[in-house]
Amino acid sequence: MTSGAEKAPDEGGRRLRQLASLEVSVLKRATPKKLSDLQVLGIFSVLDLLTTYPRRYLDRTRKLEVSSAEVGDEATFLATVRTANTKSLGGKRSVVELTVNDGSGSLAVVFFNQPWRVKQLVPGTLALFFGKVGEFRGMRQVTNPVVDVVAHDGEEVTSDRLLRFVPVYPSSAKVRLTSYDLGNLIGEALRRAGDFADPLPGELRSALALLDRTSAMVQIHQPASEHEAEVARRRLAFDELLRLQLALGLRRAVLERSARGFTQSPIVLDQQMSDPTALVSQLLSTLSFPLTGAQLRVLGEISRDLEQPLPMHRLLQGDVGSGKTVVALLALLAVADGDRQGALMVPTEVLAEQHAQSLRLLVSGLVHRDGRPFGLELLTGRTRAAERRRILEGLASGTVDVVIGTHALLTGDVLFRELGLAVIDEQHRFGVEQRAALKDRGGEARDPDLLVMTATPIPRTAAMVLFGDLDVSVIDELPPGRTPITTIWARSELEEQQAWAAVRSAVARGEQAYVVCPLVDGSDRVAASAATEVVQNLQQMQLAGLSLGLVHGQMKVDERRQTMEDFRRREVDVLVATTVIEVGIDVPNATVMVILDAAHFGIAQLHQLRGRVGRGALASTCFLLGEAKTTEAVTRLEAMESTTDGFALAEVDLQLRGEGTILGARQKGTSDLRLASLATDGDLLVLARDVAEQLLSDHPFLRGLDVMSEELRLLLDEDEAEFLFKS
Ligand code: ADP
Ligand code: MG
């Protein structure tokens, strides 16, 4: 095996691009049948083949012999199929019964409703069976094990191959190609490829204690031990994360190069009121509370961005109720003090109206330096034509300082005299196109500063991948005076009765409660009828005598708004709702929440729902009802009981569900993440980010790092590569 330490970086060696342009058919072992199987698996080039990594390794020294397997053992057996029979159980149901033998003894293996197994596992086939040993009619038996075919009947299996630590490749029921075949093809490809070019400079590699590329590629496929495999995986996973971080860094550099922003005045949080005419000072003097440390810190970060000529591009994360709105408002006021305008955009019209309502209260009485009242307007699809005309005129002339609306504000006919700051609430995706749209809003085609806010906590590692091209500020402290919410998972009938008793006594104290209906699969209509049923039952049984209101997604907006208003005015004691209450309700007098069938909700959703209580000084309780049928659901509900910290919960969610669901489609480059895991490779990710930063500062636009920039072009999404490297 080659040792990387003495090899010069970048020099010679196979490049990934060369391997990508070589078809697998160049391999001698790639017979026509195998070629067509490889195609089914999506493997066309030698690079595709080499980046088909083992799913796991079988340590053959720890393999269990059939003769010593006991009922209850969970183990892998390497055994040859002796007999295979199918029985129909009627209808589509069938059972395939095998006898397998490994030289030490025989074992029964059965598969239910997998009729194709009888073709896959014909007598003579050597395969790995992974499963739990059970018992049937006094005989040891393994039911529905995981199977990896090692060799078909008559195929030679060299003994050295079987003596080693064996890679197990992903298999598919659709092809005959075995893990063993893949290992052979990969072995040939590795031999013929020789050394690989290494995109990482040698000094950096040794400083980071990372393996060289050649050894890593060989050892991930043919490790001598678990340790060797892990060392190799670490290097290759690092490469994946580094490419991603470099792409994000480049994206930033490209945007910054083409950007023309404003140099704005800072947010002066001056208690001495040296400039009492400033809108910021006026608001501070009317606020009934001091800002929290976290709010002050974040305002400092935003203020520094405003002063920079580069446009701000910042994400503000903070749990529900952490006080993001005041922060955004102060930033908007500072911009208005500098005679530029601001826009606040939210996902829905209802939310826009709520924001407008609460912000109007805060800014009423504020006077702009020009001597006119501070201009705050709401512009939505419901705004009447004459009103709309007036607002558009005000935006064009500059007498409207801040406009609130939906994200559609960016795409309509809305023109500003000079848009200095755009605040976007609850919008994670904010791509290049939207930025371009924003730019056109300003009279001079400059880029306004941009603040994106989210109340969905995202684990740090995921944020680094999702928002690596944004600066991130976090409000990690709730305003004082909030009483933490107690969460109780009612596991028994008795505890459920206690939940309803808690609702009744809250109402008796003059407080209010929410009941959240189960998530129903299917249409809104099904959900609505289920919710109606819940109300009827509660009204007759547990909550008889209380005044119940119902909101669901099938109601007309006006009707829904009326019910919510009734709840706010305390005419309704208990608001029964589908998940439509997730966003935007703020009733501090509501202190109890009962979530029915809680195990069906995800962590993020439960957290958002629970955030509707505990909004005042009163102690609040959230009851989670219903059974958890899976261990995952148990973990979710126990996590909800143990913490109210949104970031801690997001971390649990990431561990449970993996990154796929969190990343979604936002970062296309993540399709390159084959070995790296955001849930477990946090340290590598931080390392990759630091290294990316260093490399980009030493080599702007990766100049001089040819192998690296070639790999980025090769492995990034085409549009992304086009965008990053067009110059
Ligand atoms: P978010 O937008 O982050 O969910 P809000 O800005 O709506 O939170 O704030 C929630 C509530 O807390 C509002 O009623 C707000 O007036 C209040 N609030 C904000 N900052 C503070 C603070 N520093 N001290 C006390 N109350 C605050
Ligand atoms: Mg908010």
Side-chain angles (χ1 to χ4, degrees):
M1 197 146 298
T2 27
S3 148
E6 64 268 17
K7 242 192 338 256
D10 291 9
E11 275 170 28
R14 293 277 182 169
R15 303 224 180 162
L16 299 191
R17 202 185 57 194
Q18 294 173 294
L19 297 171
S21 60
L22 278 179
E23 288 181 25
V24 269
S25 57
V26 302
L27 298 174
K28 292 199 188 71
R29 289 171 191 254
T31 59
K33 176 66 188 122
K34 290 197 173 113
L35 272 178
S36 75
D37 280 357
L38 286 169
Q39 276 183 15
V40 173
L41 295 176
I43 298 172
F44 300 94
S45 70
V46 173
L47 183 65
D48 294 337
L49 181 68
L50 288 175
T51 52
T52 302
Y53 298 115
R55 193 162 52 162
R56 60 177 186 273
Y57 303 89
L58 180 71
D59 183 350
R60 299 198 21 86
T61 56
R62 275 194 281 159
K63 175 186 54 96
L64 197 62
E65 297 213 314
V66 164
S67 60
S68 52
E70 290 178 18
V71 173
D73 284 348
E74 197 173 65
T76 304
F77 304 96
L78 177 73
T80 305
V81 178
R82 293 284 184 238
T83 64
N85 298 297
T86 307
K87 266 197 271 183
S88 170
L89 299 177
K92 282 191 172 167
R93 300 184 322 125
S94 69
V95 57
V96 171
E97 293 176 340
L98 310 179
T99 322
V100 305
N101 185 293
D102 71 347
S104 77
S106 291
L107 188 67
V109 173
V110 302
F111 298 93
F112 288 99
N113 306 324
Q114 302 177 25
W116 50 274
R117 290 289 190 188
V118 77
K119 289 196 210 97
Q120 181 197 29
L121 298 166
V122 295
T125 307
L126 179 67
L128 292 164
F129 299 89
F130 176 77
K132 191 166 180 177
V133 181
E135 200 170 11
F136 184 67
R137 296 197 178 134
M139 300 276 287
R140 290 170 310 157
Q141 165 176 312
V142 178
T143 307
N144 292 340
V146 175
V147 177
D148 287 304
V149 172
V150 173
H152 296 292
D153 193 15
E155 258 173 11
E156 176 203 0
V157 180
T158 51
S159 58
D160 73 308
R161 171 107 205 136
L162 278 180
L163 283 173
R164 275 195 332 200
F165 201 69
V166 183
V168 180
Y169 290 97
S171 62
S172 161
K174 286 177 283 186
V175 297
R176 235 176 95 89
L177 198 73
T178 62
S179 177
Y180 179 69
D181 294 330
L182 272 168
N184 272 335
L185 287 161
I186 288 168
E188 185 191 340
L190 284 173
R191 263 195 316 281
R192 291 178 52 191
D195 282 353
F196 291 82
D198 198 319
L200 274 190
E203 323 85 78
L204 190 57
R205 227 161 52 213
S206 36
L208 299 171
L210 287 171
L211 205 58
D212 65 285
R213 176 66 73 73
T214 306
S215 307
M217 281 305 266
V218 173
Q219 285 182 27
I220 192 123
H221 290 291
Q222 305 175 341
S225 65
E226 189 83 54
H227 175 72
E228 265 198 26
E230 175 51 24
V231 171
R233 189 199 72 85
R234 228 180 125 72
R235 164 62 208 264
L236 297 172
F238 177 81
D239 288 352
E240 294 174 353
L241 294 167
L242 181 63
R243 284 193 289 266
L244 196 59
Q245 292 301 311
L246 283 172
L248 290 164
L250 278 172
R251 160 175 279 274
R252 236 185 129 101
V254 169
L255 288 171
E256 284 180 358
R257 190 179 48 183
S258 61
R260 263 171 23 104
F262 300 107
T263 306
Q264 315 216 51
S265 7
I267 309 169
V268 184
L269 302 170
D270 169 9
Q271 300 306 316
Q272 317 306 313
M273 300 276 285
S274 51
D275 179 6
T277 64
L279 289 160
V280 170
S281 305
Q282 294 176 48
L283 181 74
L284 283 180
S285 69
T286 61
L287 274 189
S288 58
F289 48 78
L291 297 171
T292 63
Q295 284 172 320
L296 289 171
R297 175 169 41 80
V298 165
L299 280 163
E301 290 162 359
I302 295 172
S303 179
R304 275 192 292 283
D305 284 356
L306 290 177
E307 284 186 282
Q308 295 293 321
L310 277 177
M312 168 166 77
H313 197 195
R314 184 171 287 279
L315 174 77
L316 174 56
Q317 284 199 70
D319 234 327
V320 180
S322 59
K324 294 185 293 298
T325 311
V326 184
V327 167
L329 178 60
L330 283 164
L332 288 164
L333 292 181
V335 167
D337 278 329
D339 245 347
R340 294 200 182 86
Q341 294 161 292
L344 172 60
M345 286 163 281
V346 298
T348 68
E349 299 207 332
V350 175
L351 273 179
E353 285 165 18
Q354 283 177 15
H355 261 91
Q357 214 174 352
S358 55
L359 289 183
R360 272 192 192 118
L361 284 176
L362 283 168
V363 305
S364 76
L366 299 197
V367 178
H368 190 273
R369 281 214 187 81
D370 290 353
R372 57 175 172 78
F374 177 72
L376 177 81
E377 298 290 352
L378 170 70
L379 190 61
T380 70
R382 268 202 279 276
T383 309
R384 294 222 177 77
E387 171 86 345
R388 183 178 178 86
R389 217 173 305 122
R390 185 183 64 76
I391 295 172
L392 289 182
E393 275 168 24
L395 282 169
S397 70
T399 54
V400 171
D401 297 291
V402 170
V403 63
I404 300 174
T406 65
H407 300 139
L409 271 187
L410 285 183
T411 48
D413 54 352
V414 185
L415 289 176
F416 295 79
R417 198 195 54 175
E418 196 161 63
L419 178 62
L421 172 62
V423 179
I424 302 184
D425 203 6
E426 284 306 328
Q427 164 89 318
H428 298 176
R429 278 201 59 115
F430 197 79
V432 184
E433 320 80 56
Q434 285 101 325
R435 270 190 246 191
L438 256 186
K439 187 184 213 131
D440 289 336
R441 309 285 113 183
E444 270 190 83
R446 295 223 195 196
D447 299 273
D449 286 309
L450 180 65
L451 182 66
V452 182
M453 304 199 289
T454 176
T456 310
I458 298 152
R460 212 169 67 95
T461 53
M464 278 168 55
V465 171
L466 277 172
F467 306 118
D469 52 347
L470 301 184
D471 292 306
V472 179
S473 291
V474 181
I475 304 190
D476 48 7
E477 177 189 355
L478 287 182
R482 307 262 169 92
T483 317
I485 306 164
T486 309
T487 301
I488 299 170
W489 173 17
R491 294 168 172 81
S492 66
E493 181 79 18
L494 184 68
E495 285 172 307
E496 289 195 7
Q497 293 314 319
Q498 284 166 355
W500 300 118
V503 172
R504 290 191 301 266
S505 52
V507 172
R509 287 194 303 273
E511 296 163 19
Q512 293 163 283
Y514 296 104
V515 175
V516 180
C517 293
L519 262 187
V520 185
D521 286 334
S523 64
D524 270 3
R525 193 201 313 252
V526 181
S529 85
T532 311
E533 206 166 298
V534 167
V535 172
Q536 284 166 357
N537 286 339
L538 289 175
Q539 193 78 77
Q540 281 165 21
M541 311 272 292
Q542 290 94 338
L543 302 183
L546 307 190
S547 142
L548 306 191
L550 171 65
V551 289
H552 58 68
Q554 284 270 291
M555 290 164 74
K556 293 211 180 71
V557 176
D558 289 341
E559 228 179 310
R560 197 156 94 198
R561 194 171 311 168
Q562 186 58 50
T563 309
M564 300 237 206
E565 198 46 46
D566 291 346
F567 185 62
R568 213 184 302 276
R569 291 203 319 259
R570 304 196 189 181
E571 281 163 23
V572 164
D573 300 321
V574 180
L575 189 66
V576 180
T578 56
T579 51
V580 295
I581 60 158
E582 236 179 295
V583 275
I585 288 196
D586 188 359
V587 179
N589 193 49
T591 57
V592 178
M593 172 172 282
V594 180
I595 303 180
L596 303 174
D597 225 349
H600 282 92
F601 293 94
I603 283 192
Q605 212 170 9
L606 288 172
H607 179 64
Q608 289 293 325
L609 287 167
R610 181 171 61 181
R612 299 299 118 205
V613 292
R615 299 184 72 84
L618 299 168
S620 296
T621 317
C622 175
F623 291 94
L624 307 173
L625 264 52
E627 278 179 76
K629 295 215 172 71
T630 62
T631 52
E632 200 191 300
V634 172
T635 309
R636 275 200 308 265
L637 297 185
E638 285 178 347
M640 290 297 296
E641 275 189 310
S642 68
T643 183
T644 50
D645 177 344
F647 284 93
L649 288 170
E651 201 59 61
V652 174
D653 207 21
L654 176 63
Q655 302 297 334
L656 283 179
R657 299 195 302 162
E659 52 264 31
T661 39
I662 294 182
L663 296 180
R666 203 249 177 192
Q667 200 61 57
K668 291 187 192 139
T670 51
S671 57
D672 181 31
L673 295 186
R674 290 176 176 226
L675 292 168
S677 148
L678 296 185
T680 52
D681 289 324
D683 62 324
L684 269 189
L685 180 56
V686 172
L687 201 62
R689 192 208 34 203
D690 295 347
V691 170
E693 217 164 82
Q694 186 62 44
L695 287 177
L696 286 172
S697 99
D698 294 350
H699 305 266
F701 295 94
L702 293 181
R703 270 180 229 113
L705 294 178
D706 295 346
V707 176
M708 185 69 85
S709 78
E710 190 182 278
E711 288 189 4
L712 243 80
R713 274 173 229 239
L714 177 69
L715 296 169
L716 285 180
D717 178 61
E718 235 171 83
D719 296 342
E720 180 78 1
E722 160 80 13
F723 175 73
L724 296 181
F725 291 104
K726 65 190 165 194
S727 45

